[in-house]
Amino acid sequence: MAERVQVMLTEEQVDARIRELGEQISRDYAGKTLHLVCVLKGGVFYLCELAKRITVPVTIDFMSVSSYGAATKSSGVVKIVKDLDQPLIDRDVLVVEDIVDSGRTLSYLLPLLKDRGPASVKLTTLLDKPERRETDVKVDYTGFEIPDKFVVGYGLDYDQKYRNLPYIGEIVFE
Ligand code: IMP
Ligand code: MG
């Protein structure tokens, strides 16, 4: 089945929204140093654009997680494929995600990060599909709420493709 990508959010819309979020986050963290924790791979494009718009001092670390497979899908257990390089103790952590879908990944990840002794942990996601939520996840800074469509671009992939698109597109099969 052939697929094509239909634009959902233009590059201009995404950039403008990230600029707003950067300003809001900079205000909220005034006087602090913000530790950005990026969830690879999807979060990396958003992380770079957001970090450029934040005016308080920023440090950055990365982690990579994968779902533990079909058998554990319902338990929401994810495997840490690459852990953070630095400890979180006393840091003001902002987790940077590409999308919150069922919420399973973050329901697992956020408590785990909170156990590491940070001063605070908040979450930002570029996209949120609230209709798909299966577990409760509190998002502190949302880029866009979108309908239940499969989207690509700005870090998001379909079969590892399309991450490099500078806009958010919906995959349409024809
Ligand atoms: P969760 O269901 O909230 O745990 O989301 C898990 C992961 O699924 C996200 O971090 C994305 O990597 C991926 N994902 C969910 N929805 C989409 C989508 O529409 N396009 C591409 N990846 C998605
Ligand atoms: Mg992700």
Side-chain angles (χ1 to χ4, degrees), residues 90-120:
D90 295 338
R91 293 187 196 263
D92 288 299
V93 173
L94 181 62
V95 176
V96 180
E97 259 284 20
D98 50 358
I99 191 163
V100 183
D101 186 36
S102 71
R104 288 182 193 285
T105 308
L106 287 159
S107 295
Y108 177 80
L109 205 57
L110 289 174
L112 196 138
L113 298 178
K114 285 175 184 161
D115 275 354
R116 296 185 183 184
S120 65

Side-chain angles (χ1 to χ4, degrees), residues 163-174:
R163 290 191 196 276
N164 59 315
L165 297 179
Y167 54 87
I168 300 292
E170 177 190 337
I171 290 275
V172 182
F173 296 96
E174 48 195 13

Side-chain angles (χ1 to χ4, degrees), residues 15-27:
D15 289 352
R17 182 66 185 130
I18 294 177
R19 201 177 276 267
E20 283 175 3
L21 287 171
E23 287 168 7
Q24 188 186 346
I25 290 166
S26 301
R27 281 195 301 273

Side-chain angles (χ1 to χ4, degrees), residues 37-103:
V37 164
C38 175
V39 185
L40 294 170
K41 302 171 188 166
V44 77
F45 288 72
Y46 176 40
L47 167 89
C48 292
E49 294 309 308
L50 181 66
K52 287 192 282 183
R53 305 299 169 205
I54 294 175
T55 52
V56 299
V58 157
T59 54
I60 295 172
D61 205 350
F62 297 91
M63 72 190 303
S64 182
V65 298
S66 74
S67 184
Y68 238 122
T72 52
K73 195 172 178 282
S74 56
S75 71
V77 176
V78 296
K79 184 168 80 173
I80 296 181
V81 177
K82 183 222 173 293
D83 206 340
L84 299 169
D85 291 335
Q86 293 152 9
L88 297 183
I89 194 99
D90 295 338
R91 293 187 196 263
D92 288 299
V93 173
L94 181 62
V95 176
V96 180
E97 259 284 20
D98 50 358
I99 191 163
V100 183
D101 186 36
S102 71

